[in-house]
Amino acid sequence: QVQFVESGGGLVQAGGSLRLSCLASGRTVSTYFMGWFSRAPGKEREFVAAISRIGGNTYYADSVKGRFTISRDNAKNTLYLQMDSLKPEDTAVYYCAAAPSASYNTLSYHSSYAYWGQGTQVTVSS
C-alpha cells in the first residue's frame, strides 16, 4: 500500500507560480508511472500531467503545456508539479496518483491509477 502527502498548494495571483510536492510512503514508487489530476468545483477530475518511471518521458494536458512541468526524484520518493503562469481557471484541488502498470496511451485516464493522494487546494485570483 502506498500513501501520499501532498503539499505546496495555496492562494496565488494570476501569473504567479506554485510548486506542488507529493511524498510517497509505504513503498517505493520508482517503478510506477506517476501523474497529477485536478478537480475544479462542479467539474469532473481531469488529467494534468504524467511522467514515466525514470522521468524520461512526460505528458501534459493541452491546457497546461508550456506552463506546468512534472518531475520526480525517485531517491526521495517524491513527485513534483511546477506551475507557472497560473490562470484563474487553474483553480482546483490537485491530486497526485501512482499507476503500478499502465501504457502510455492510458496515462490520462484516472482509472489507470491505483493510489491517490488526499489533494491540495490551488486557488488563483484574478
Side-chain angles (χ1 to χ4, degrees), residues 38-49:
S38 66
R39 176 174 281 169
K43 293 188 175 182
E44 297 292 321
R45 184 168 32 185
E46 295 182 345
F47 170 74
V48 175

Side-chain angles (χ1 to χ4, degrees), residues 5-46:
V5 175
E6 293 145 333
S7 60
L11 174 63
V12 65
Q13 288 188 328
S17 298
L18 286 172
R19 189 191 194 206
L20 306 184
S21 298
C22 173
L23 173 64
S25 63
R27 64 182 302 168
T28 180
V29 293
S30 61
T31 59
Y32 297 172
F33 287 94
M34 299 289 293
W36 288 97
F37 287 75
S38 66
R39 176 174 281 169
K43 293 188 175 182
E44 297 292 321
R45 184 168 32 185
E46 295 182 345

Side-chain angles (χ1 to χ4, degrees), residues 2 4 9-11 15 19 21 29 46 59 63 78 80 84 89 91 95 100 117 121 124-125:
V2 181
F4 296 114
L11 174 63
R19 189 191 194 206
S21 298
V29 293
E46 295 182 345
Y59 313 87
S63 59
T78 302
Y80 302 99
D84 298 318
E89 50 265 42
T91 295
Y95 301 88
Q121 176 70 46
V124 185
S125 63

Side-chain angles (χ1 to χ4, degrees), residues 48-112:
V48 175
I51 189 166
S52 59
R53 294 177 176 93
I54 59 172
N57 293 293
T58 55
Y59 313 87
Y60 297 95
D62 288 343
S63 59
V64 306
K65 280 181 183 176
R67 300 189 299 120
F68 290 10
T69 303
I70 188 172
S71 62
R72 66 192 298 167
D73 186 337
N74 286 338
K76 296 181 179 180
N77 228 23
T78 302
L79 177 72
Y80 302 99
L81 185 68
Q82 177 67 41
M83 311 168 73
D84 298 318
S85 303
L86 282 160
K87 304 175 181 180
E89 50 265 42
D90 295 321
T91 295
V93 177
Y94 284 76
Y95 301 88
C96 65
S101 61
S103 57
Y104 292 104
N105 61 347
T106 63
L107 287 174
S108 63
Y109 303 147
H110 62 80
S111 59
S112 296

